[in-house]
Amino acid sequence: MYTWRRQDRINRGLTPGLSSGEKAELTAARKQIADLEAELKATWRAIELLKESAHPKGGTRRRK
């Protein structure tokens, strides 16, 4: 009950703090950052795996 009343005062500008909209935006931004970091980590891991499997003399040339 006290939390709701405090948030209402913040939303009305009577108390300093993040409004409900700002909190929702911040939460969405944090989730997007976490998703992008996970995607980047997976990409770097894939690059490392490809480097390990690609041999410089691996027979990709055509023989004459």
Side-chain angles (χ1 to χ4, degrees):
M1 182 80 169
Y2 292 106
T3 305
W4 293 343
R5 187 169 62 177
R6 182 175 181 275
Q7 189 61 50
D8 180 57
R9 292 180 57 82
I10 291 171
N11 289 343
R12 289 189 287 148
L14 301 174
T15 305
L18 293 176
S19 69
S20 296
E22 291 170 333
K23 281 185 179 182
E25 186 178 342
L26 183 59
T27 301
R30 285 182 175 155
K31 182 185 181 320
Q32 185 177 12
I33 289 169
D35 291 345
L36 290 171
E37 286 175 344
E39 185 178 334
L40 183 61
K41 185 177 179 181
T43 302
W44 281 112
R45 179 66 182 138
I47 289 169
E48 291 300 317
L49 288 173
L50 289 174
K51 283 182 183 178
E52 290 173 8
S53 66
H55 301 289
K57 296 183 181 180
T60 57
R61 295 184 183 174
R62 291 185 180 169
R63 295 183 184 198
K64 294 182 180 181

